[in-house]
């Protein structure tokens, strides 16, 4: 369905400007369903996105896909066929993002997924994910493990594309180390219990356990493992960087370490960090609109999608291509593949045809849960 409450200001532009003067941005997020803790802050960020790109008015058409990949596909098809979308943003979770990327490739429309995904062929050609790649975040965690003497690592992650892709990224980073991986346990986003998986992990008693989940469901492993008496170090991914995780896990979250984008701890960043100024301003703007303490890492990915499109639009328009045409969509794709030092709240983007993520080490920091909040502990 349309999320008119989020995009009302942008949708109104359609009645005051000729279609040829607008750039149409189709957005599908998971504002409801299991990934709502990701999709809500993403949706709330849309009103903070630029309303003009290089002098061209922007029309945001926003949908809720309810964390259903099939619904995400329907949303995007509708937007492309009926709204003549120039670029797509979404979806919130990995399965939906992968499905949307397939439609984007089929219709030759550039897409900015809001979940870290691994794509090949045509789908990869048209997709430029806003989040940090899994391998980059996994390497930060493994580096911390090596430095702190972890020798055995358990795993409890989603039984979907996100869980599998992050597991594979972690295995790659563990190569050449003396850290042993196992047991490896999985659970579904909709599961209400992980007791069986927790019992196996507690029995093995690894030095540390890596949880690969997102939003509210990522609290379930911490709660269950704490109930079963596990005392080792808990690691999570950037998928858990939300207030929902802290609120639900409460004391069971204490001490958990995870890699996050700089925006999560904007005020704590060193003054010379390139994302600090923009991230601090985004935090102020977001919390002014949505309440103190409401900032989420996931909204930051939506904000960065806007930064990426804004930078790419300038180059695309310079080719002479008009918004609403296949030529403009192709030019926008090429521009997204050639971004240089585009600053976002999650880092700095430098892309190429061989690197559609464009992130480097400036896009990640390590934090630890301390007193129910995120504490910056280093790059």
């Amino acid at each position: 369905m349309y999320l008119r409450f989020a995009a009302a200001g942008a949708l109104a532009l359609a009645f005051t400007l000729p279609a040829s003067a607008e750039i149409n941005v189709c957005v599908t997020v998971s504002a409801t369903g299991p990934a709502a803790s990701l999709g809500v802050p993403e949706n709330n960020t849309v009103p903070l996105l630029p309303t003009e790109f290089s002098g061209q008015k922007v029309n945001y058409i926003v949908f809720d896909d309810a964390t259903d990949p099939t619904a995400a596909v329907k949303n995007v098809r509708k937007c492309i066929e009926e709204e003549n979308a120039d670029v797509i943003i979404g979806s919130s979770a990995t399965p939906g993002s992968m499905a949307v990327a397939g439609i984007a490739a089929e219709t030759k429309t550039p897409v900015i997924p809001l979940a870290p995904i691994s794509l090949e062929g045509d789908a990869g050609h048209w997709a430029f994910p806003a989040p940090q790649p899994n391998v980059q975040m996994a390497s930060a965690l493994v580096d911390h493990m090596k430095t702190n003497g972890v020798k055995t690592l358990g795993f409890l992650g989603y039984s979907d594309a996100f869980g599998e892709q992050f597991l594979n990224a972690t295995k790659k980073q563990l190569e050449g180390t003396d850290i042993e991986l196992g047991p490896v346990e999985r659970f579904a986003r909709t599961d209400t219990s992980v007791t069986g998986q927790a019992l196996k992990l507690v029995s093995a008693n690894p030095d540390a356990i890596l949880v690969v989940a997102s939003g509210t469901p990522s609290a379930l492993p911490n709660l269950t493992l704490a109930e079963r008496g596990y005392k080792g170090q808990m690691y999570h991914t950037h998928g858990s960087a939300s207030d929902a995780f802290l609120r639900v896990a409460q004391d069971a979250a204490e001490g958990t370490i995870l890699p996050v984008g700089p925006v999560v701890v904007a005020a704590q960043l060193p003054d010379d960090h390139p994302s600090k100024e923009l991230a601090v301003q985004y935090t102020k703007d977001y919390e002014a609109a949505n309440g103190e303490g409401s900032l989420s890492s996931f909204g930051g990915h939506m904000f960065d999608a806007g930064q990426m499109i804004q930078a790419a639009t300038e180059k695309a328009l310079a080719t002479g291509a008009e918004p609403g045409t296949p030529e403009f969509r192709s030019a926008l794709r090429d521009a997204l593949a050639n971004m240089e030092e585009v600053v976002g709240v999650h880092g700095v983007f430098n892309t190429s045809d061989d690197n559609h993520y464009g992130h480097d080490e400036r896009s990640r920091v390590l934090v630890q849960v301390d007193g129910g909040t995120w504490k910056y502990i280093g790059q």
Side-chain angles (χ1 to χ4, degrees):
M1 65 177 179
Y2 279 108
L3 298 182
R4 297 185 185 277
F5 61 93
L11 286 172
L13 295 173
F15 300 102
T16 59
L17 294 164
S20 61
E22 294 182 352
I23 295 171
N24 288 326
V25 181
C26 179
V27 180
T28 181
V29 293
S30 303
T32 57
S37 56
L38 287 65
V40 168
E42 291 164 355
N43 181 61
N44 290 344
T45 298
V46 174
L48 303 179
L49 299 184
T51 57
E52 288 189 2
F53 293 150
S54 298
Q56 300 290 312
K57 297 296 183 181
V58 184
N59 180 31
Y60 296 100
I61 307 102
V62 187
F63 295 89
D64 175 19
D65 57 41
T67 323
D68 180 356
T70 301
V73 167
K74 290 180 180 178
N75 290 345
V76 170
R77 284 199 181 279
K78 178 181 179 67
C79 205
I80 291 171
E81 294 169 2
E82 298 182 13
E83 305 290 346
N84 201 23
D86 292 297
V87 60
I88 302 163
I89 301 176
S91 178
S92 304
T94 299
S97 285
M98 294 185 71
V100 168
I103 302 304
E106 176 190 321
T107 58
K108 293 181 168 51
T109 307
V111 58
I112 300 178
L114 297 175
I117 57 177
S118 297
L119 297 166
E120 297 179 356
D122 285 345
H125 182 74
W126 290 90
F128 299 86
Q132 301 84 344
N134 290 326
V135 67
Q136 195 167 41
M137 295 310 215
S139 68
L141 291 177
V142 173
D143 284 347
H144 187 275
M145 294 174 196
K146 291 188 294 184
T147 301
N148 289 274
V150 172
K151 300 299 182 183
T152 53
L153 176 67
F155 177 93
L156 180 53
Y158 279 158
S159 55
D160 63 15
F162 178 42
E164 196 64 24
Q165 290 178 8
F166 205 96
L167 175 60
N168 290 335
T170 302
K171 287 179 177 179
K172 184 177 180 63
Q173 295 303 310
L174 290 175
E175 292 176 0
T177 74
D178 58 357
I179 301 174
E180 180 181 350
L181 178 64
V184 173
E185 298 293 326
R186 297 177 174 84
F187 69 108
R189 291 174 185 263
T190 54
D191 284 350
T192 58
S193 172
V194 292
T195 300
Q197 299 94 319
L199 287 172
K200 293 179 182 178
L201 287 161
V202 170
S203 178
N205 196 29
D207 296 333
I209 294 175
L210 171 61
V211 174
V212 178
S214 57
T216 305
S218 62
L220 185 59
N222 280 60
L223 291 167
T224 308
L225 287 163
E227 289 173 357
R228 299 294 169 175
Y230 180 70
K231 302 296 184 182
Q233 177 63 54
M234 295 295 297
Y235 289 99
H236 276 240
T237 74
H238 47 318
S240 300
S242 70
D243 180 65
F245 168 67
L246 296 176
R247 184 181 67 254
V248 177
Q250 298 186 2
D251 289 347
E254 285 294 304
T256 298
I257 293 171
L258 58 156
V260 299
V263 68
V264 176
V265 286
Q268 300 178 49
L269 295 173
D271 288 340
D272 61 354
H273 195 289
S275 292
K276 182 168 185 174
E277 182 178 357
L278 188 63
V280 167
Q281 187 61 53
Y282 167 68
T283 301
K284 289 180 179 178
D285 293 343
Y286 186 91
E287 294 192 347
N290 298 284
E292 184 177 355
S294 60
L295 179 79
S296 165
S297 171
F298 303 105
H301 295 313
M302 177 66 77
F303 186 85
D304 282 355
Q307 297 295 108
M308 295 163 68
I309 298 172
Q310 185 173 41
T313 295
E314 182 177 355
K315 290 184 176 182
L317 290 171
T319 68
E322 292 287 336
T325 66
E327 291 78 15
F328 181 75
R329 292 193 289 273
S330 180
L332 194 60
R333 190 228 77 91
D334 292 345
L336 286 167
N338 289 279
M339 291 185 291
E340 297 179 0
E341 292 294 294
V342 175
V343 177
V345 299
H346 274 286
V348 182
F349 295 87
N350 287 281
T351 55
S352 68
D353 272 324
D354 295 325
N355 177 13
H356 282 200
Y357 277 93
H359 288 287
D360 56 29
E361 291 188 356
R362 294 174 290 180
S363 70
R364 69 180 197 196
V365 298
L366 285 176
V367 298
Q368 187 166 27
V369 181
D370 184 358
T373 62
W374 310 113
K375 181 181 178 181
Y376 171 77
I377 61 173
Q379 192 74 25

